[in-house]
Amino acid sequence: MAKTKKKEEFVKQDEQLQEVNEALTGAGKWIEDHSNAISWAICIIAVLVMGVMLIKTKVIEPKQVEAGTENAKAIAYFMAGDFQTALEGDNAECAGFEATADSYHNQQGKLAALYAGVCYYELGKYEEAAEFLKKFSADDINIDAAANQLLGDTYVELQDYAAAVTAYDKAAKSGNKVFAPMSLMKAGIVYLHEGENAKALKAFKAIKEEYPTATEAQAIDKYIAIAEK
């Protein structure tokens, strides 16, 4: 009887571990499944920010307006899913995000760098994506968090896991109720993949304690269990 009970407990534990391990198959799998939504979230936020900036800077700084106008042209291609043209321009009126990011060293230029990074990510060119995402910074910690999270995703694709968790950590420190728990989860999964269970456990517990209502918290006990092994 005792042996049967012990066997049942072992089977149950094994099933739980298997479920978690399936989620960990390839560090990029979970991240890949959630990256597109984040990319589009960044873009929507960035569009709103760009609109506000254009209104504020039309009289103050002409260069901002110039760069903002170029961004607006490229955004039309971006929203249509034509990432290549949005990035490189159309050889006519649209210069493209890459050229705008390289030509303008103001906030609109940084915004173009963010878009360029997203375009390169969507095109599967991760080294170029990382290069442009690193150029972006914003006073708004929420947009900055989204950009850092995508940068982390990019480093995972490049299998540069140390750089990935550094980017995720920056995103998590924002305290944003969407990006912070998601970045902690991604960081934890990368840590597990790398065998750094103590760091993974810390990330998972942070989700449970600080973001108990987040989507990531719903199955967090399973990840905590595997990290404690």
Side-chain angles (χ1 to χ4, degrees):
M1 185 71 176
K3 287 184 178 180
T4 302
K5 186 176 180 181
K6 188 173 183 180
K7 184 177 180 180
E8 288 175 352
E9 289 177 352
F10 177 80
V11 170
K12 186 176 180 181
Q13 289 176 356
D14 186 61
E15 288 175 350
Q16 290 177 337
L17 292 178
Q18 185 177 354
E19 186 176 345
V20 174
N21 282 325
E22 285 175 0
L24 298 175
T25 302
K29 187 178 186 308
W30 189 93
I31 291 167
E32 182 180 351
D33 290 343
H34 294 77
S35 61
N36 287 339
I38 298 308
S39 298
W40 287 108
I42 291 172
C43 299
I44 292 168
I45 294 169
V47 169
L48 294 175
V49 171
M50 190 192 75
V52 172
M53 284 180 175
L54 280 174
I55 294 170
K56 286 184 176 180
T57 60
K58 269 192 173 181
V59 183
I60 301 171
E61 194 175 343
K63 285 291 182 182
Q64 284 275 47
V65 179
E66 287 178 19
T69 301
E70 290 300 334
N71 278 340
K73 295 173 185 176
I75 285 170
Y77 287 108
F78 184 94
M79 298 306 290
D82 187 350
F83 301 114
Q84 196 72 49
T85 304
L87 183 63
E88 297 178 350
D90 58 10
N91 295 317
E93 295 185 0
C94 176
F97 292 128
E98 185 170 12
T100 302
D102 290 338
S103 300
Y104 295 90
H105 305 291
N106 52 31
Q107 196 59 41
Q108 286 293 329
K110 291 179 182 179
L111 189 60
L114 172 61
Y115 273 111
V118 176
C119 287
Y120 272 123
Y121 185 92
E122 294 292 342
L123 293 168
K125 297 181 178 180
Y126 302 116
E127 289 184 3
E128 292 89 344
E131 178 184 344
F132 277 94
L133 289 171
K134 285 188 293 185
K135 293 179 181 180
F136 177 75
S137 63
D139 293 333
D140 189 304
I141 61 171
N142 298 313
I143 301 175
D144 214 42
N148 275 307
Q149 183 169 293
L150 185 60
L151 180 59
D153 294 348
T154 303
Y155 281 128
V156 168
E157 296 290 352
L158 293 169
Q159 298 183 2
D160 186 346
Y161 299 123
V165 293
T166 296
Y168 289 144
D169 183 57
K170 288 180 181 179
K173 286 179 178 177
S174 70
N176 180 284
K177 292 183 179 180
V178 174
F179 296 118
M182 193 178 293
S183 292
L184 285 167
M185 176 64 86
K186 291 183 176 190
I189 290 173
V190 173
Y191 281 132
L192 280 181
H193 181 267
E194 293 297 278
E196 297 187 66
N197 286 35
K199 291 181 179 180
L201 182 61
K202 183 178 179 180
F204 296 146
K205 283 187 173 181
I207 294 172
K208 185 172 184 177
E209 294 168 5
E210 297 173 28
Y211 305 98
T213 60
T215 301
E216 290 75 18
Q218 293 177 7
I220 201 63
D221 286 337
K222 294 177 182 178
Y223 288 90
I224 289 174
I226 192 74
E228 288 177 334
K229 296 296 181 181

